[in-house]
Amino acid sequence: MAKLLLKLQRYFRRKPVRFFTLLALYLAAGSLVFLHSGFSGEPRVPGSPRSPAANEGPGLPYLGVMQLSRGFKAAATVPGGTRRHGPWFKSTSKEPSERGKSRDNGGPRSRALRGRSGREKEEDRARYIGCYEDNTRQRTLRGMSFFDYKKMTVFRCQDNCAERGYLYAGLEFGAECYCGHKIQAPNASESECNMECKGERSNTCGGINRLSVYRLELAQESARRYGSAIFRGCFRRPENVSIALPASQLMLNMSVDKCVDFCTEKEFPLAALAGTTCRCGFPSTLFPLHEREDEQLCAHKCAAEEFESCGSAEFLLVYQTQVQDNRCMDRRFLPSRAKQLVALASFPGAGNTWARHLIELATGFYTGSYYFDGSLYNKGFKGERDHWRSGRTICIKTHESGQKEIESFDSAILLIRNPYKALMAEFNRKYGGHIGFAAHAHWKGKEWPEFVANYAPWWATHTLDWLRYGKKVLVVHFEDLKRDLFVQLQRMVALLGVTACEDRLLCVEGQKDGNFKRSGLRKLEYDPYTPEMRKTISGYIRTVDAALKLRNLSGVPEDYFPR
């Protein structure tokens, strides 16, 4: 053996180039093996036992409510334990081409009725209100429009209009989409909306100079736009209106554009239409914009535009201008080292970055992170670069869920989100970035089912671990934060030990989205969850719900459970 080593030593002394070449190849091969092992397995949750396979029994160690199963049963595995990914994407609903083959060859009236029945199934997203006349010289819907003569669908048109804050979406000629706030034409016969959508032949997309019109039910009031302004709602006039809305001007030819332009020029974030008077101001304790009135109370026509509403002396129609409210934009590091470490804990995809944005605006202090994300640092999260134990930040973002990691924090805000939404959000982030989207190839390929199999159990164990090992945990549901931001943000700020004035919190409401909201323009037009996935995830939801109730907390919101 010694002679062999001596010969090799003499050989490489004579030819050092070959030695270094072999050494480089060896190191490269080792690096590839290391990288492969790092990315091929399921993400390990520190402190939590590996989730069992589909045919293994035990699950969570300390709650006997249910057994967490890693995989899906028969449909997900084959004899021998090899996972199959292909069959998971056999959707229960037929593809448009298959539906097209099965339909009958009835006339325009029957096709319109079939389109209506399809529309009624989409009532969560929009409500079909009828067929309307249209004119190329004066459009029925006068907002944004776009055409696609190959792939137009009802969903795509609705989503584009809703994303831009419009109230109505209309489809015409099978391929044209129009958006608007007002329908400015009379009804037409349903039989005249008789053209199939170019990208979805089972649905009707208007006709020749005829619009199939939908009212967008899911267009959030805060997202409804009129040009560059965001619609905030109809509100009763505040008692001290001249103090609450200090700038005003009489406008005999009132219109939304004129009032918004006036308040923008005066550098106010709110424009309030009060009949023939335009008022401007800030959200404040005198005018908090929390108690909306029925929009019909503000439905008084504008003098300069018959299809617009301009409110009245008693009920104001309020829009948010493009002027930034700077009362909550200042941020800095803590003046002295924090005595306690507070975690902002969540499962990936549960809205942690958005919550950090809200906390920074509400408190005026930077948030930190257990990790380092250069893209977030470049977007203004200056605490991202600090070590998480530096004590210079108000709270620390973390997705960790092991006992050791959890016990290193003195208290925590635990942010929980509907797992169906959280999984999809994290999948989009993983393959498309913080505000990007995963490609359809990823949803349709093996990546999505593998992701759900690995991450769905983690959604449950993450919450359960924080409830078990956390010292002082405040549970906040993502859905409650969206629905009632002011109240939930008050709870979060109170735990952080910071006194935030009410005007600052009202300012946050007006700046709540920031630059961290994923656009709705590329939402999936199909349900990516198979029945097997839903069955397993529903079990995890029940486990978390029971664990919350055992701690005398309210369970998960009702919309976590699919109808």
Side-chain angles (χ1 to χ4, degrees):
M1 186 67 181
K3 290 182 179 179
L4 178 61
L5 291 173
L6 187 61
K7 287 182 180 180
L8 286 172
Q9 186 180 13
R10 289 175 179 173
Y11 175 76
F12 284 121
R13 275 182 184 173
R14 290 195 302 270
K15 299 181 179 181
V17 174
R18 292 187 181 182
F19 171 74
F20 286 113
T21 302
L22 288 172
L23 181 63
L25 289 173
Y26 174 78
L27 292 174
S31 298
L32 288 173
V33 170
F34 175 77
L35 288 171
H36 177 74
S37 65
F39 286 101
S40 60
E42 79 174 65
R44 182 179 178 275
V45 184
S48 300
R50 174 184 169 88
S51 303
N55 52 1
E56 296 173 9
L60 293 176
Y62 62 95
L63 269 183
V65 182
M66 68 159 283
Q67 294 180 340
L68 279 182
S69 169
R70 175 181 185 272
F72 305 103
K73 295 186 180 178
T77 56
V78 293
T82 304
R83 188 173 300 283
R84 297 187 299 169
H85 302 298
W88 288 7
F89 275 90
K90 288 183 179 177
S91 174
T92 54
S93 60
K94 297 180 180 179
E95 293 295 323
S97 58
E98 294 174 356
R99 291 198 296 265
K101 292 177 184 178
S102 64
R103 71 181 191 277
D104 62 88
N105 296 317
R109 175 66 179 170
S110 62
R111 189 156 53 240
L113 290 175
R114 280 195 304 278
R116 264 180 96 175
S117 64
R119 298 176 192 121
E120 287 166 0
K121 294 177 182 177
E122 299 168 348
E123 60 184 2
D124 286 343
R125 181 168 65 247
R127 178 169 56 87
Y128 178 71
I129 59 174
C131 182
Y132 287 80
E133 296 179 5
D134 195 23
N135 189 315
T136 55
R137 293 183 180 179
Q138 197 170 25
R139 290 293 180 186
T140 301
L141 297 174
R142 300 176 188 175
M144 184 274 301
S145 63
F146 76 98
F147 309 146
D148 190 333
Y149 290 94
K150 289 186 177 180
K151 298 181 180 179
M152 180 61 74
T153 65
V154 172
F155 179 93
R156 187 178 178 198
C157 179
Q158 291 172 354
D159 206 38
N160 274 271
C161 293
E163 174 66 21
R164 288 162 176 79
Y166 289 101
L167 287 178
Y168 298 98
L171 295 108
E172 181 174 331
F173 203 62
E176 302 173 4
C177 176
Y178 298 89
C179 312
H181 292 290
K182 296 285 185 182
I183 300 173
Q184 305 183 35
N187 282 93
S189 170
E190 283 295 325
S191 61
E192 295 178 33
C193 285
N194 54 15
M195 298 189 71
E196 297 175 338
C197 302
K198 296 296 183 181
E200 187 181 29
R201 296 188 179 277
S202 62
N203 264 337
T204 302
C205 285
I208 300 172
N209 289 332
R210 294 294 181 267
L211 278 171
S212 297
V213 180
Y214 296 82
R215 180 178 173 87
L216 303 173
E217 300 295 332
L218 287 187
Q220 296 292 325
E221 299 294 335
S222 61
R224 280 167 48 186
R225 293 183 178 272
Y226 193 96
S228 62
I230 300 173
F231 178 74
R232 295 298 298 269
C234 177
F235 299 90
R236 186 181 295 274
R237 186 186 68 176
E239 291 184 5
N240 299 316
V241 65
S242 59
I243 299 175
L245 301 168
S248 64
Q249 181 166 314
L250 182 67
M251 294 182 178
L252 297 178
N253 291 322
M254 173 71 83
S255 70
V256 176
D257 282 338
K258 289 179 180 178
C259 187
V260 168
D261 289 345
F262 171 73
C263 293
T264 301
E265 185 180 338
K266 294 293 183 181
E267 297 187 350
F268 285 100
L270 293 184
L273 289 79
T276 55
T277 304
C278 175
R279 298 185 179 278
C280 316
F282 294 90
S284 66
T285 52
L286 295 175
F287 196 45
L289 303 183
H290 286 163
E291 296 182 7
R292 292 185 183 180
E293 303 290 347
D294 189 332
E295 284 185 40
Q296 292 301 314
L297 296 173
C298 290
H300 297 272
K301 291 182 179 179
C302 296
E305 179 55 70
E306 62 176 320
F307 292 108
E308 293 178 1
S309 296
C310 280
S312 66
E314 289 298 319
F315 294 96
L316 313 183
L317 208 56
V318 181
Y319 289 85
Q320 184 172 319
T321 70
Q322 289 295 297
V323 176
Q324 187 176 65
D325 189 344
N326 290 319
R327 295 175 300 170
C328 58
M329 300 308 293
D330 60 301
R331 284 169 289 176
R332 62 191 187 280
F333 289 103
L334 291 173
S336 59
R337 184 182 176 87
K339 296 180 180 179
Q340 292 190 330
L341 288 176
V342 183
L344 178 60
S346 74
F347 175 78
N352 200 303
T353 302
W354 180 54
R356 290 177 68 186
H357 165 74
L358 297 175
I359 289 171
E360 290 195 359
L361 293 186
T363 64
F365 296 115
Y366 289 120
T367 59
S369 177
Y370 195 82
Y371 322 98
F372 171 71
D373 189 327
S375 66
L376 291 181
Y377 178 83
N378 293 334
K379 287 183 177 180
F381 286 99
K382 300 304 180 184
E384 193 76 18
R385 184 171 284 182
D386 269 37
H387 188 274
W388 66 280
R389 284 187 177 274
S390 70
R392 298 207 305 160
T393 54
I394 193 69
C395 63
I396 311 297
K397 165 190 174 176
T398 180
H399 299 310
E400 301 301 308
S401 55
Q403 180 178 356
K404 180 181 177 182
E405 288 79 5
I406 293 172
E407 291 179 345
S408 63
F409 291 97
D410 300 295
S411 58
I413 298 169
L414 177 59
L415 191 62
I416 304 174
R417 187 181 185 184
N418 185 326
Y420 295 104
K421 301 289 180 64
L423 289 168
M424 293 178 70
E426 174 60 10
F427 190 73
N428 276 320
R429 187 209 61 79
K430 185 175 181 181
Y431 289 100
H434 280 284
I435 57 173
F437 292 86
H440 279 280
H442 292 131
W443 293 100
K444 290 289 188 179
K446 65 178 183 179
E447 293 92 344
W448 170 244
E450 286 182 346
F451 178 86
V452 173
N454 290 330
Y455 277 70
W458 183 15
W459 176 85
T461 57
H462 181 277
T463 299
L464 297 170
D465 281 355
W466 277 95
L467 291 177
R468 184 183 187 188
Y469 301 119
K471 297 171 186 175
K472 182 181 178 183
V473 179
L474 172 68
V475 174
V476 176
H477 292 285
F478 176 87
E479 293 75 17
D480 292 339
L481 188 59
K482 283 184 66 178
R483 189 181 303 113
D484 195 356
L485 185 142
F486 189 86
V487 171
Q488 297 301 324
L489 201 50
Q490 278 183 319
R491 296 176 63 222
M492 295 162 72
V493 170
L495 180 78
L496 296 171
V498 176
T499 302
C501 68
E502 195 168 340
D503 279 354
R504 187 171 184 114
L505 294 178
L506 290 170
C507 170
V508 177
E509 285 189 307
Q511 317 287 332
K512 63 182 180 181
D513 287 340
N515 300 317
F516 314 103
K517 181 181 178 182
R518 189 171 280 110
S519 164
L521 295 180
R522 289 184 55 188
K523 291 177 183 174
L524 288 179
E525 297 187 16
Y526 60 90
D527 182 2
Y529 292 100
T530 64
E532 291 81 10
M533 292 178 182
R534 285 190 171 276
K535 181 179 178 181
T536 305
I537 293 172
S538 292
Y540 299 151
I541 292 172
R542 287 192 292 272
T543 299
V544 170
D545 185 61
L548 290 169
K549 290 176 179 176
L550 282 175
R551 287 193 161 235
N552 295 319
L553 301 170
S554 59
V556 300
E558 291 183 3
D559 57 5
Y560 281 30
F561 296 98
R563 295 182 179 87

